[in-house]
Each structure stands twice: as C-alpha cells, then as structure tokens.
C-alpha cells in the first residue's frame, strides 16, 4: 500500500478491529518501516508499558508452568550428572581392560554414559593406537543411536549423534583412513544441520573438518575454516582456545610454504595461549615458530627464540618428537656455521630414527649430515653418507619426484660436482613433499655455470 493508515486504523490494529486483509497491508506498511506511522501508533505497538495485565487465574497458571519447567530442568540436570558419573566409572574399567565387570555394567548403563565413556577412551588412544581409537569411536556412535528422543528431545539426540559421528571421522583421520574420515564428517555435518545447531558443537565440527583438509593438503581451506573458530573463541573471551586456532593456522601456513605468515601467526599465538593450561600446545607453537624461522634461513633469530622459549620446549610428547627437536637444533647450528656440533647431533638423530624404524626421516638427516661433512671439507665422508641415503631411498616406496631428486644428487656426487646448496635443496624438498605431494623438484642448485665445466 502507498497510503499511510489513519490513526483510527492503527488503533483498530491493536484492538483487533481490522479485517485480515487490511491488517496484513497495515503491518506490511509499518514494517517497511514507516517512521511517521510508528510515531503515531498507540503505545501497544511501540512500547512495553501498554502490555495487558494478567488475570489472577492466568497468573496462577503461569506460576504452575514455571514451577513445572523448573522441576523438569532439575530432573534433567540430575539425570545428566548421573550419566557423567556412570561414564567415569565405565571409562576406568575400559582403561583397566576389566571385561568381566564391563559385561555386567554395560547392558544396564544408559546409552549416553556409554557414548561419553567410549568417546573419552577413543580420544585417549589417539597417539597410542589410532586403529583402536576408531573402534571406540564406532562404539560411541552405536550408543548414540540408542538414545531416546522422548527423553532428550529430537534435536538433543541429533546433537549427540553429531558429536559421536564427528569424533569417528576424526578417528578415521588419525588412523590414516581419509575416505572414511571424509564420509563420516559429511554425515556429521548433515546431522548437525538437522539438530539444534549449537554453536560450540559447530565449532568443534569445523575444527575437525579443517584437520582433515590439512591432511589432504588443502592448507588454504583448512586455515580459512579455522578463522571461524578463532573469531568465535575471541568473541566469547576464550583467549587460550583462540590461540590454539592461531597455532594451527600458522602451522598450515608453514606447510604451504608461506613461512613469513607462519612466523607472524605463531608469534601472535604465543601471546594468546596459556602454557600452564596446555603445555603441549605451547611446546608445539614454540617449536613450529623456530622451525619456520629455520626453514626461511633466519637461523640467528631461531637460536635466540630457542633460548627465549626454552621453558615451553620441555613437553615434547615422546621420543620421536625429542629427536625432531634435536634435529632442529642441529639445523640451526649448521646454519650458523657450527658444523662440528651439528654433525654430532645429526649422528645421534640418525641412530634414534633408525631404532624407531623411520628410514625416510633418518635418510633425510643423513643428507643433513652429508652437508655438514661437505662444509668442513670432508668430501669423502659426505659422499659416503649421501650414497647410503640414496640406497635407502631406492629401496623404499617413495614418490617419483622425491626419488628423482635423490638420484640427481647421487649423480652429482658420483661426478664430484655435489655442492652444499644441492644437498640442502634436496633435503628441504624431501621434508616438504610429504606435506604437499604436488611439489615439483626445481633443481636450482644445478643451474650454476660451474657445474658444467671440467671436473
């Protein structure tokens, strides 16, 4: 309608005196909005002061409804507390492997308690045994499907199932089963959209989707997804969790070869996270910051921050991580010209990685050791270690591009043309190709004119 309603029509709108057709026209006009008509409207349309008073019967009915809702809420809260206590009891038995007691408890336990216990045990096994992690997440999903919508409500049950399905997807990811992980997370997303779409649950789902994207080497997509989680945690005042998102985004930037952005984000993250709350996260942030500095050739700054964040770097998370931290020290020493110390640490790391059954990693460190030999003028030792690394690579099932880079280096040694730059280029390429299989070896160190002169 183009004409403004009269004041009588506005009054009739409040009292119910307008026809349904005219009522729609007037409301549509007011919601345009029309400031002049809203100013003329009776207080009922524009103010809470004109609200109708309840009758005594209505007041009594309202009080009864409030009391009933409170009783339901208290009962629901007590039920959830009982399930949490039961879940803790089941979790203790799962840790002990007490199958006899479990057989007695599980049939009579609530599905919610079983789901929580299975998910907790699944998460605990993420580093120790990813395949068993999958098994417990699968059991949790089965328990979530037994939840009664009449007890929890349809949306709440869908939320529980979203959580279980998402954690199963993450377990598949940890177990290096990417297609199953992708399918499970897609189902979790479908369940989430049908449920209450509770924000915290949605953020957890986004984090897991980002982790899978990173595993699939879609680092840009992974980082973009985590921006949503970062903003959510900032808005809710959870600075530590916001820092956790920054650590991941910074890590993915480094994986993508954007070292400057990685350095900037990781530095910023260390001002967010609380080392006491999550020492492993603080360790990861500091280590990856120093690693990105080393990868970008900023060895002096890397060494300085290695001292500054030494308190963060004590919770390495296992023997393999300890070796990786030592390798980073050796790379910094080599970058600063302290080759004897770098040589000693590389030898130690190679022995540890061989014992751990990680031949690819140990062979990369053999190349680093070869570079330290060459830098010290020990060309025979450098060649011997490089040939050893090449022999290991040719026996392993590695990417064609990586093998070709390794063979090119071996040929350079055979022709006595190998340089420090060649070794460093191949070693750096081998470190990165597992993160990004699309990489192609450029061989820039082979472009120098001296490589084509007489031997």
């Amino acid at each position: 309608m183009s004409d403004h309603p009269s004041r009588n029509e506005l009054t009739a709108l409040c009292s119910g005196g307008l026809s349904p057709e005219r009522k729609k026209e007037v409301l549509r006009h007011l919601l345009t909005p029309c400031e002049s008509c809203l100013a003329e409207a009776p207080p009922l349309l524009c103010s809470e002061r004109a609200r109708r008073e309840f009758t005594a019967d209505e007041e009594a009915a309202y009080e009864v409804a409030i009391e009933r809702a409170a009783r339901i809420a208290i009962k629901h809260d007590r039920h959830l507390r009982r399930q949490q206590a039961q879940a803790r009891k089941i979790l203790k038995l799962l840790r002990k492997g007490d199958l006899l007691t479990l057989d007695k408890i599980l049939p009579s336990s609530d599905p919610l308690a079983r789901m929580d216990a299975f998910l907790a045990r699944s998460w605990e096994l993420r580093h120790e045994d990813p395949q068993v992690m999958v098994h417990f997440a699968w059991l949790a999903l089965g328990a979530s499907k037994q939840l009664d919508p009449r007890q929890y409500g349809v949306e709440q049950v869908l939320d529980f199932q979203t959580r279980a399905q998402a954690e199963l997807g993450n377990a598949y990811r940890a177990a290096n089963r990417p297609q199953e992980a992708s399918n499970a997370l897609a189902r979790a997303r479908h369940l989430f959209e049908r449920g209450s779409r509770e924000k915290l649950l949605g953020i957890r789902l986004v984090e897991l989707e980002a982790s899978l994207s990173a595993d699939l080497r879609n680092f840009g997509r992974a980082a973009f997804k985590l921006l949503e989680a970062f903003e959510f945690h900032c808005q809710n005042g959870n600075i530590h969790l916001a820092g956790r998102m920054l650590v991941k985004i910074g890590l993915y930037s480094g994986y993508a070869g954007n070292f400057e952005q990685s350095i900037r984000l990781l530095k910023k993250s260390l001002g967010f996270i609380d080392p006491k709350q999550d020492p492993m996260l603080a360790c990861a942030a500091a280590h990856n910051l120093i690693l990105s500095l080393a990868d970008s050739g900023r060895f002096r700054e890397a060494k300085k921050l290695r001292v500054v964040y030494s308190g963060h770097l004590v919770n390495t998370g296992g023997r393999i991580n300890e070796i990786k931290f030592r390798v980073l020290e050796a790379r910094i020493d080599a970058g600063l010209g302290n080759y004897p110390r770098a040589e000693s640490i590389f030898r130690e790391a190679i022995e540890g990685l061989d014992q751990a059954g990680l031949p690819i990693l140990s062979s990369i460190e053999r190349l680093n050791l070869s570079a330290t030999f060459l830098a010290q003028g020990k060309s025979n030792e450098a060649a011997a270690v490089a040939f050893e690394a090449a022999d290991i690579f040719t026996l392993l099932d590695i990417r064609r591009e990586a093998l070709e880079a390794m063979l090119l280096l071996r040929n350079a040694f055979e022709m006595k043309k190998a340089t420090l730059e060649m070794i460093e280029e191949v070693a750096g390429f081998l470190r990165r190709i597992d993160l990004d299989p699309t990489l192609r070896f450029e061989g820039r160190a082979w472009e120098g004119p001296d490589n084509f002169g007489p031997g």
Side-chain angles (χ1 to χ4, degrees), residues 257-274:
N258 191 340
F259 299 125
E260 291 305 314
Q261 180 171 301
S262 175
I263 291 166
R264 178 175 58 81
L265 291 171
L266 289 168
K267 280 183 177 179
K268 187 175 181 180
S269 75
L270 285 162
F272 278 66
I273 60 180
D274 180 359

Side-chain angles (χ1 to χ4, degrees), residues 8 42 60 80 162 182 212 247 254 264 295 318 419:
N8 288 337
L80 291 179
T162 297
S182 181
L212 179 60
V247 172
R264 178 175 58 81
D295 284 339
T419 64

Side-chain angles (χ1 to χ4, degrees), residues 67-87:
E67 288 178 8
R68 181 174 179 272
R71 286 198 301 271
I72 292 173
I74 293 170
K75 182 179 179 181
H76 185 65
D77 182 64
R78 287 174 179 169
H79 173 76
L80 291 179
R81 288 177 182 274
R82 283 196 300 270
Q83 304 320 307
Q84 290 168 358
Q86 196 174 56

Side-chain angles (χ1 to χ4, degrees), residues 81 83-93 95 113 117:
R81 288 177 182 274
Q83 304 320 307
Q84 290 168 358
Q86 196 174 56
R88 288 191 292 270
K89 185 176 181 180
I90 295 172
L91 179 59
K92 288 180 181 178
L93 295 173
R95 288 169 178 161

Side-chain angles (χ1 to χ4, degrees), residues 21 74 79 98 137 172 205-206 214 273 304 361 368 373 388:
E21 293 78 12
I74 293 170
H79 173 76
D98 190 346
Y172 280 134
L205 182 54
V206 163
I273 60 180
K304 177 183 176 182
L361 292 182
N368 286 325
F373 282 141
E388 186 180 359

Side-chain angles (χ1 to χ4, degrees), residues 159-296:
D159 286 354
F160 287 138
Q161 290 176 356
T162 297
R163 179 183 165 214
Q165 186 75 67
E167 297 301 336
L168 176 60
N170 191 47
Y172 280 134
R173 183 192 66 81
N176 197 28
R177 295 159 67 173
Q179 188 56 57
E180 291 163 291
S182 181
N183 292 339
L185 287 175
R187 286 193 288 271
R189 173 60 64 183
H190 178 67
L191 289 166
F192 176 77
E193 296 299 331
R194 293 168 54 205
S196 71
R197 302 179 71 181
E198 193 268 325
K199 190 63 178 178
L200 197 58
L201 178 62
I203 290 300
R204 175 60 176 165
L205 182 54
V206 163
E207 286 187 51
L208 298 182
E209 290 170 338
S211 294
L212 179 60
S213 292
D215 282 3
L216 297 175
R217 283 49 175 173
N218 296 320
F219 300 118
R221 180 186 299 177
F224 186 77
K225 279 181 172 290
L226 289 179
L227 281 176
E228 180 184 352
F230 171 73
E231 292 175 358
F232 171 80
H233 292 310
C234 285
Q235 291 168 2
N236 285 274
N238 198 326
I239 302 303
H240 176 77
L241 287 180
R244 183 169 173 264
M245 297 304 103
L246 280 182
V247 172
K248 287 190 172 186
I249 297 172
L251 184 63
Y252 298 156
S253 297
Y255 287 166
N258 191 340
F259 299 125
E260 291 305 314
Q261 180 171 301
S262 175
I263 291 166
R264 178 175 58 81
L265 291 171
L266 289 168
K267 280 183 177 179
K268 187 175 181 180
S269 75
L270 285 162
F272 278 66
I273 60 180
D274 180 359
K276 294 181 180 179
Q277 183 175 338
D278 193 341
M280 287 289 290
L281 179 63
C283 181
H287 176 260
N288 284 298
L289 170 58
I290 297 166
L291 179 62
S292 289
L293 287 167
D295 284 339
S296 58

